[in-house]
């Protein structure tokens, strides 16, 4: 632990948590409940946002924050709910994002009202800042009609999703009271490497989805090669991390590691399908002529779900990788996340 961390940890140790009638530490469950609800809503929000990109529906509503001159919340529901699909997903994305913002405010109010530790309150404040910034990026994407802003908006959403997942974890009963085998520092380091590489891989995927129209062939090949290399790296790190966690003797952590590997298998399958429906078969179709009718069907429902599912599953892998690292850090005796510093 460096000297800069010591005052922060001393502050956390000296905090006096609320207690129940028996004198045991007590935390209101509402922060955890709001955070879990945020996790359950943010992933569908990422999925709908991915559909907006897949269908090129980002400019289906050309103004912001209004919707065709209406207050966003007063726009006639029959117009967008029963109207064109691109209008449905774009306006629906805005409404769902607004709901996520309101729940983030409720989570912060619950954290302050129930006298949560300062570091949890700060995480909730960070979440509120994050959702405001993400909304501003979404509005800038519409106002400026800029592909780069859309890419940044797409990369920032999964980061907010991870933050919500972390708040849900650290506000749970498991975080407050846990008794499990210790995790070696090597497992924590592998978990951190996996989390970082997962986010870099997500950024590369966003670059590929928002490829500039004037990009040259060499740049496209470079991004594709980097993305494939990153996928292989994430796969290797996932296997190593899962193996390290399995050796700890903690069944819960072992299951998380196996869940990561399962998601990676799904993601590789979706990635192959995404390439197939976007760019055609990587093999000569003359060998499998029956496959030709499945290739590059513009705006097809199945094809759009494959492409969007690949993007959304990447966010799940990132969140689970970060949660693996955080849980392993909690169990590591030499980590600043270990007891009693954060109790």
């Amino acid at each position: 632990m460096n000297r800069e961390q010591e005052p922060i940890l001393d502050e956390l140790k000296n905090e006096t948590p609320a207690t129940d009638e028996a004198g045991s530490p007590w935390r209101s469950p509402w922060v955890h409940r709001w955070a879990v609800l945020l996790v359950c809503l943010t992933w569908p929000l990422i999925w709908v946002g991915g559909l907006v990109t897949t269908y090129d529906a980002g400019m289906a509503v050309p103004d912001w924050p209004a919707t065709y001159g209406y207050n966003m919340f007063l726009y006639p529901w029959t117009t967008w709910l029963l109207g064109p699909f691109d209008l449905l997903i774009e306006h629906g994305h805005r409404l769902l994002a607004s709901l996520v913002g309101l729940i983030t405010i409720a989570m912060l109010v619950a954290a302050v009202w129930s006298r949560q530790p300062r570091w949890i309150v700060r995480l909730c404040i960070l979440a509120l800042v994050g959702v405001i910034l993400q909304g501003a990026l979404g509005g800038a994407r519409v106002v400026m009609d800029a592909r780069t802003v859309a890419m940044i908006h797409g990369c920032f959403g999964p980061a907010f999703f991870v933050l919500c997942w972390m708040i849900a974890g650290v506000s749970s009963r498991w975080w407050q009271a846990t008794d499990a085998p210790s995790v070696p520092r090597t497992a924590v380091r592998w978990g951190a490497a996996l989390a970082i590489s997962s986010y870099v891989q997500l950024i590369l995927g966003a670059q590929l989805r928002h490829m500039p129209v004037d990009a040259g062939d060499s740049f496209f090949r470079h991004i594709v090669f980097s993305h494939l290399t990153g996928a292989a790296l994430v796969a290797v790190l996932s296997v190593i991390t899962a193996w390290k966690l399995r050796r700890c003797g903690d069944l819960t952590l072992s299951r998380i590691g196996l869940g990561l590997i399962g998601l990676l298998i799904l993601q590789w399958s979706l990635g192959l399908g995404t390439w197939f429906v976007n760019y055609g078969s990587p093999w000569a179709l003359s060998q499998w002529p029956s496959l030709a009718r499945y290739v590059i069907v513009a705006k097809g429902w199945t094809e759009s779900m494959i492409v969007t599912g690949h993007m959304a599953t990447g966010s799940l892998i990132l969140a689970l990788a970060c949660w693996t690292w955080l849980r392993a850090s909690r169990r590591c005796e030499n980590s600043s996340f270990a007891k009693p510093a954060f109790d």
Side-chain angles (χ1 to χ4, degrees):
M1 181 189 308
N2 56 42
R3 294 183 178 180
E4 296 179 356
Q5 290 178 316
E6 291 180 358
I8 298 176
L9 296 182
D10 289 340
E11 176 185 328
L12 293 172
K13 291 178 183 179
N14 293 332
E15 288 190 25
T16 303
T19 57
D20 58 17
E21 295 179 356
S24 302
W26 174 84
R27 294 280 184 260
S28 170
W30 278 106
V31 174
H32 177 68
R33 291 170 181 171
W34 286 122
V36 170
L37 182 58
L38 271 179
V39 171
C40 294
L41 289 177
T42 303
W43 194 66
L45 179 61
I46 291 174
W47 188 288
V48 177
L51 279 177
V52 170
T53 300
T54 303
Y55 275 89
D56 295 324
M59 296 303 295
V61 181
D63 52 344
W64 184 87
T67 300
Y68 287 104
Y70 286 87
N71 181 299
M72 180 174 59
F73 303 105
L74 301 179
Y75 187 64
W77 67 271
T78 54
T79 304
W80 67 272
L81 195 60
L82 304 178
F85 186 70
D86 57 349
L87 175 61
L88 170 66
I89 56 178
E90 168 60 15
H91 188 65
H93 183 62
R94 295 184 182 190
L95 294 180
L96 184 56
S98 300
L99 178 60
V100 167
L102 291 175
I103 294 176
T104 305
I105 295 174
M107 181 179 67
L108 175 58
V109 171
V112 175
W113 187 267
S114 61
R115 294 183 297 165
Q116 294 288 324
R118 292 189 185 96
W119 63 279
I120 290 185
V121 175
R122 289 167 184 167
L123 284 178
C124 294
I125 293 174
L126 182 61
L128 180 58
V129 172
V131 76
I132 293 173
L133 179 59
Q134 180 69 345
L137 284 171
R141 184 262 179 273
V142 174
V143 173
M144 301 170 60
D145 192 14
R147 186 181 297 267
T148 301
V149 177
M151 184 181 67
I152 297 173
H153 182 63
C155 293
F156 198 79
F160 174 76
F161 177 54
V162 170
L163 179 59
C164 294
W165 194 311
M166 298 302 102
I167 296 174
V170 300
S171 60
S172 65
R173 290 181 179 271
W174 174 87
W175 184 271
Q176 297 173 30
T178 182
D179 184 15
S182 178
V183 173
R185 180 169 288 274
T186 55
V188 178
R189 290 171 177 169
W190 283 110
L194 174 60
I196 294 172
S197 62
S198 298
Y199 192 63
V200 172
Q201 174 70 350
L202 188 145
I203 293 174
L204 290 171
Q207 178 67 65
L208 196 57
R209 274 173 65 82
H210 297 275
M211 184 66 61
V213 294
D214 57 348
D217 294 341
S218 60
F219 181 73
F220 176 76
R221 286 194 297 267
H222 174 73
I223 295 297
V224 170
F225 178 78
S226 300
H227 192 56
L228 292 175
T229 303
L233 177 61
V234 170
V236 171
L237 290 175
S238 297
V239 172
I240 295 176
T241 303
W243 179 67
K244 289 287 186 180
L245 295 177
R246 185 175 179 82
R247 296 186 62 187
C248 297
D250 188 340
L251 184 60
T252 302
L253 286 176
S254 298
R255 288 173 176 171
I256 294 177
L258 292 177
L260 267 172
I261 294 176
L263 279 178
L264 275 171
I265 294 173
L266 174 62
Q267 183 71 337
W268 274 75
S269 302
L270 290 171
L272 179 60
T274 297
W275 180 274
F276 193 90
V277 301
N278 278 342
Y279 309 112
S281 171
W283 310 283
L285 285 179
S286 58
Q287 299 177 12
W288 295 281
S290 61
L291 297 179
R293 63 191 179 93
Y294 295 105
V295 178
I296 315 180
V297 180
K299 309 299 182 185
W301 175 258
T302 302
E303 291 77 10
S304 298
M305 291 299 106
I306 291 174
V307 174
T308 306
H310 181 61
M311 180 277 304
T313 304
S315 298
L316 274 181
I317 292 175
L318 173 63
L320 195 57
C322 292
W323 180 231
T324 301
W325 165 75
L326 191 63
R327 290 194 65 149
S329 298
R330 177 64 164 162
R331 302 281 176 80
C332 182
E333 295 180 355
N334 298 322
S335 171
S336 59
F337 289 104
K339 292 180 177 181
F342 277 71
D343 289 334

